[in-house]
Amino acid sequence: MKLNQAVKVLIAKPGLDGHDRGAKVVARSLRDAGMEVIYTGIRQTPKMIAETALQEDVNVVGLSILSGAHLEIFPKIIKEMEDRDININEVLLFCGGIIPDEDVERVKKMGFHGVFGPGSDTRDIIKFINDFFS
Amino acid sequence: MSDNKKQWLSTVYMKAKEKFSERKSLFATSSGSKVEPIYGPEDLHSWNYHEKLGFPGEYPFTRGIQPTMYRGRLWTMRQYAGFGDAAESNARFKYLISQGQTGISVAFDLPTQIGYDSDDEYVEGEVGKVGVAISSLADMEALTKDLPLDQVTTSMTINATGGMLLAMYAAAAKKQGVSLDKIGGTIQNDILKEYIARGTYIFPAKQSLRLLTDQMSWCFTNAPRFNTISISGYHMREAGCTAAQEVAFTIANAIQYSDAAIEAGLNFDEFASQFSFFWACHSVFFEEVAKFRAAKRIWAKIAKEKYGSQSPRAQMLRFHTQTGGATLTAQQVDNNVVRTAYQGLSAVLGGTQSLHTNSRDEALAIPTEESAQLALRTQQVLAYETGVADVIDPLAGSYYIESLTDSLEKEITSYLDKIADMGGSLAAIEQGYQQREIQESAYIMQKQIEEKSKIVVGVNDFINENDPPVKVFRVDPSIGKKRVQQMKELHKIRDLDSVTKNLNELKIAAEGTTNLMPFLISSFESYATIGEVCSVLRQVWGEYQENVTL
């Protein structure tokens, strides 16, 4: 899928944990790579995230969660997005944080194309996004 | 033969360097200070032993806060634990005590930390995950079952709801028949660093500080063995700041708390005697040792010079240390055992009062029982086999350690001056200053790792293509449902009229200025829940709004 303007990315922190180091480093790296980045801040509910994605008409949604609640919360976010007629096949979804290996396949089945855990290189995330839109 | 360091550097060293270049173009600490090839007497030119170090147990406590340090008693091995429901965590504590742990340290789940009950729809999926779920006194009673609260000291990592958990703990002790002057432990209660980095805030700053000073004054009269606050640099360090920023931002917070307590009419020497501090220890070894020593000296000076302290206990920086969670890698997890051991050594050489060593698998999940045991064994090897605990402050007098301690002190002091100029820690937080500094340092470090100017073994160098899968601990996924059931039972057995009456009285007290602690205790004694209590306070006080910075 090709875009005519800069890629617009929403970086969001669902769940209740306040560990925003990864989210902020990724947000800034994507911005430095020329993307337009919106960062939500912490403790975002599925509704808030879906609503921001809709209002801002983003191309990419990146979720960061370290509390272990991803299996419960991610499906809710996708449902809230679909309820707002956001086509999740056109929006690139990726996530990071503490996602155990054994959950990666399940998360991918939900619709997340990339899972970037601890030790990820931000250049890989940039490439992942650029590849999707080229 | 060279006469001095300068001459040696410009002749002998330079010549060798031209022939065999150095490994890096710049050697530096995490805080960015240049590290020279050697240190010598010239670096301590005007250095005065008595002014800079003194003796252990004496001002400025650089060498340690007690005269005997670890020759008298080893540091407390205090492993942070908690998950699932109260009964499960109680079993883990008993296991850790049976393995030789000497104090308990409770991790609470996020709903408990931000004041929601386990059966609140908003917190679905979060219950019991990163710590134990405590919604009412019934849970606290189960958590402390068969633990003699007059003997065990308990550290609680709880901040926005610190007063609530302290009230529940006191109520549980009373039910055990233990008088409050016998209970001991520490509540983290450091809300300012929650605004800066950790994120589990509820109430606005003014009301949060009032809740804190209420606990300080209540503890001083009723539970004097409780440290009412553990002023924490740990989480800011984990969020990415440097060693110097960690100490500076933490001490700036300590100053803010002291000012708030003085404004509330409390006496510095009384409340500061119940302060404790909490530091991280990361991998840059000597910098960490120097950091602990500098922090002790700076706090002692501030206590004496700024607050006119007469009490040595109020001047000593007592501290807990935890090895660096952010230094753990998800790759080649066994390497984390090695990292943790070095980090723990730096904390001991820095004179920590208690220590948590992280488990090898904590970049992936909360630890398995085997990993938690290995982490504790790491401390036991350090304590009983290496001999490092036999001499007090053994690195003192090292040209490098003392130079580094001095230069860190200088760097920390300059941050403190800057924050004071901004109007103090809270004003700086409101302007997003600490948050931006931390983000900047985190970003720089990430780029250094990606450019390989900073090597992380197993991550950006010495990589194994096929890491074997790691068996991680999983909290029983039925915990959420189990807790909803437990809450249903609680609602059935309690007297709702008594709950309502107590919550009304709490509301009136919160609107006024009386000490809230007795009202919190009676609310919990009637089995009001943490969600109900916090909902009352949210109505009266409102909520803190994050200042999102990027």
Side-chain angles (χ1 to χ4, degrees), chain B residues 74-75 77 79 99 281 323 328 333-346 348 355-360 362 370-388:
Chain B
L74 289 163
W75 62 91
M77 299 179 193
Q79 299 293 95
Q99 294 299 303
C281 49
T323 57
L328 300 177
V333 292
D334 286 332
N335 297 349
N336 293 325
V337 181
V338 182
R339 288 189 182 99
T340 298
Y342 288 130
Q343 293 168 0
L345 176 60
S346 73
V348 166
L355 178 63
H356 169 111
T357 34
N358 290 328
S359 298
R360 58 195 270 285
E362 286 190 76
E370 293 85 357
S371 300
Q373 191 196 60
L374 178 58
L376 178 61
R377 295 286 181 259
T378 306
Q379 288 201 42
Q380 289 163 335
V381 169
L382 189 53
Y384 296 101
E385 295 184 12
T386 64
V388 295

Side-chain angles (χ1 to χ4, degrees), chain A residues 21 32 43 67 122-123, chain B residues 126 201 238 440 443 450:
Chain A
R21 176 178 183 164
D32 287 357
R43 279 197 224 166
S67 71
T122 59
R123 291 170 300 189
Chain B
E126 305 275 8
Y201 42 74
E238 290 293 291
E440 184 64 22
Y443 186 74
E450 293 179 4

Side-chain angles (χ1 to χ4, degrees), chain B residues 37-55:
Chain B
I38 62 156
Y39 290 79
E42 296 88 343
D43 295 293
L44 300 182
H45 180 60
S46 56
W47 190 81
N48 178 302
Y49 175 86
H50 292 282
E51 183 201 318
K52 298 275 190 179
L53 304 188
F55 286 95

Side-chain angles (χ1 to χ4, degrees), chain B residues 411-428:
Chain B
E411 199 180 341
I412 293 161
T413 310
S414 97
Y415 274 117
L416 284 172
D417 291 344
K418 189 163 184 184
I419 291 169
D421 286 345
M422 295 174 85
S425 173
L426 186 55

